[in-house]
Amino acid sequence: MKIGCPKEIKPQEFRVGMTPDAVREATGHGHQVFVETRAGAGAGFSDDDYVAAGAKILGTAEEVFETAEMIVKVKEPQAVERKRLREGQVLFTYLHLAPDPEQTRDLLDSGVTAIAYETVTDDRGGLPLLAPMSEVAGRLAPQVGAWTLQKANGGRGVLLGGVPGVAPAKVLVIGGGVVGTHAAKVAAGMGADVTVIDRSINRLRYLDDVFGRDFKNAYASAGNTIALAREADMIIGAVLIPGAAAPKLISRAQLAELKPGAALVDVAIDQGGCFETSRATTHQDPVYEVDGIMHYCVANMPGAVARTSTLALGNATMPFMLALADKGWKRACAEDKHLLAGLNTHRGKLTYAAVGAALGLPTIAAADALQL
C-alpha cells in the first residue's frame, strides 16, 4: 500500500501522524511511505530520519494526498485538506465529527473511507487510540490551569499548592476516566486539594481504592457538581461520551455562582466542550474570559508537547495502521470489530450512530458499509 503522511496544518499543531519507527515498520511489511517535507520537524524528526527509515520525501501536501492510498494524520483534516480526499482513499486520524457538521459533510461528499482514532475500541470497552492523548491532556490540564490561575493571565492569583500557612487551591475534576484520573494525579502531586466526580459508582470505588489518600471523590449529581464548583479555584472538564457531543455540565447562568477568576479547563472541547460557554481556542491564544471566569479551551492540548504525544500516539496506532495496510481496510475491519468501530464514513455514508444523532443525519451500520 502507498501510505501518506502530510504535515499537520492546524494552528500550533506540532505532532505528526507517523514516526520514523512507524515508517520502518510499514516499509518492512513491503509498503511505500510518502512523507511531506518537514512533517516531523515540530516533533523533533528530520527528513533524514524518515529517509533512513525507508520513506520518500515529497515537497508538498498535494503530492502526498495525490499519491497515497491511505493518509495517516493526527488532527481532523482542515478544509483545504478535505478537498484533496477522494473515494477509494482511506483516512486514518482523529476526526471528532459530532460537533463538526462542516467537516462531516465534506468527508461524506468526498467519498473517503474515514476511520477515526477516537472511536476504535478494545476488549475492555476502552478507546486505545484516544487513551494516550487523553493521558497527555489530563496531565497537562493542571499545568495549564495553574498558568491560567495566575493574576497576570486573568485568574484568581492562587498558587495551586499553596504555601505554609496558606491553603492550596481547590481543584474539581468532572469525570473520572483516563483524562480525569491523570489530571487528578498531577493536580494532587502539585499540592492542590482535589476532588474527582463521576456518575459511575464502580469507577468511584476504583479511584477510592487506588488513590484514596491522594484525592477525594464524589458522585456527579447536578447538585454535587454545582456545590463543588462554587468552592473550586479550578474546574477541569474531563467527560466523554464516545463519538458523541459532550454534555454541558455548567451553564452560563451558573458562572455567576463560581469564584471570580476561577479557571475552567475544558479537555472535552474536541467533542464540543462540557461547559456551555466553551469555544475552541489555540495555543497561540489559549484563554478568554466570560462573566469573570477564565476559560482554557485549546482543542489540541497534546500538541504543546509534540514529541511525547507523537511517540505515545505512534505506539498505539501502529498495529492498526499495519493491519489496514497489510490486509486492506475492508478485510482488516471485517476481522477486527474494534477497528470496525472506528469507521465513521465510507462512500458518502455516515457509519457512526452517535455522530448521526448529534448532527441529525442518517447512518448505516458500519458492518453494512463493508458490502458497499
Side-chain angles (χ1 to χ4, degrees):
M1 182 177 283
K2 295 178 179 178
I3 304 169
C5 179
K7 181 178 174 63
E8 296 293 323
I9 60 172
K10 188 164 185 169
Q12 301 293 296
E13 179 53 74
F14 304 107
R15 291 172 288 178
V16 63
M18 293 182 72
T19 63
D21 277 348
V23 170
R24 188 173 289 107
E25 291 278 347
T27 56
H29 283 230
H31 307 296
Q32 295 175 275
V33 182
F34 301 88
V35 178
E36 183 182 353
T37 185
R38 295 189 56 77
F45 302 117
S46 68
D47 286 354
D48 288 343
D49 293 331
Y50 285 103
V51 171
K56 180 177 180 180
I57 303 299
L58 298 181
T60 65
E62 288 89 345
E63 292 175 271
V64 174
F65 277 85
E66 183 178 343
T67 303
E69 298 165 283
M70 177 167 67
I71 296 292
V72 180
K73 280 177 44 61
V74 178
K75 291 304 292 179
E76 71 280 357
Q78 303 301 290
V80 66
E81 295 175 309
R82 299 196 292 268
K83 293 177 182 177
R84 298 173 181 145
L85 297 168
R86 62 183 184 271
E87 188 170 325
Q89 192 173 53
V90 175
L91 173 65
F92 193 37
T93 189
Y94 288 116
L95 292 176
H96 301 291
L97 294 181
D100 194 345
E102 184 177 345
Q103 182 198 176
T104 304
R105 177 51 57 196
D106 286 350
L107 293 182
L108 293 174
D109 288 346
S110 75
V112 73
T113 299
I115 299 173
Y117 293 160
E118 74 272 11
T119 62
V120 173
T121 57
D122 63 22
D123 286 327
R124 298 174 297 171
L127 302 168
L129 305 190
L130 187 62
M133 295 304 93
S134 296
E135 291 164 349
V136 171
R139 293 186 178 210
L140 273 176
Q143 292 182 211
V144 299
W147 179 85
T148 305
L149 275 176
Q150 294 176 24
K151 194 65 179 177
N153 300 320
R156 285 178 53 72
V158 174
L159 182 64
L160 213 57
V163 292
V166 180
K170 290 189 175 184
V171 175
L172 172 64
V173 180
I174 304 177
V178 177
V179 170
T181 301
H182 283 265
K185 286 167 61 177
V186 169
M190 295 171 76
D193 178 354
V194 182
T195 301
V196 179
I197 61 175
D198 199 280
R199 284 184 172 268
S200 168
I201 297 297
N202 286 336
R203 186 63 183 179
L204 294 176
R205 288 193 180 107
Y206 166 81
L207 294 173
D208 188 65
D209 287 344
V210 177
F211 304 107
R213 294 184 179 180
D214 298 323
F215 50 80
K216 298 168 280 190
N217 69 77
Y219 185 74
S221 64
N224 265 349
T225 300
I226 189 58
L228 290 165
R230 291 187 192 108
E231 300 175 3
D233 299 289
M234 182 194 306
I235 303 171
I236 297 172
V239 298
L240 174 70
I241 301 173
K248 308 301 182 190
L249 301 178
I250 293 181
S251 68
R252 176 160 191 164
Q254 289 174 323
L255 295 186
E257 302 181 50
L258 307 184
K259 293 179 178 178
L264 304 187
V265 180
D266 197 340
V267 186
I269 192 63
D270 272 337
Q271 294 295 140
C274 59
F275 309 125
E276 185 183 359
T277 45
S278 292
R279 58 174 173 80
T281 61
T282 67
H283 291 292
Q284 199 166 13
D285 188 16
V287 299
Y288 62 93
E289 175 267 330
V290 178
D291 297 343
I293 305 301
M294 302 307 299
H295 293 59
Y296 182 101
C297 303
V298 173
N300 59 329
M301 286 176 62
V305 286
R307 188 171 180 87
T308 296
S309 297
T310 294
L311 291 168
L313 182 60
N315 292 340
T317 59
M318 191 186 301
F320 295 97
M321 179 270 292
L322 291 174
L324 290 166
D326 290 347
K327 302 175 181 179
W329 80 269
K330 280 193 176 182
R331 182 180 157 206
C333 288
E335 293 180 359
D336 185 350
K337 65 181 181 181
H338 300 300
L339 183 56
L340 180 61
L343 186 65
N344 275 223
T345 74
H346 174 61
R347 294 186 67 179
K349 303 293 185 182
L350 188 60
T351 59
Y352 201 81
V355 173
L359 298 179
L361 295 174
T363 62
I364 65 170
D368 292 341
L370 298 176
Q371 310 307 317
L372 296 179

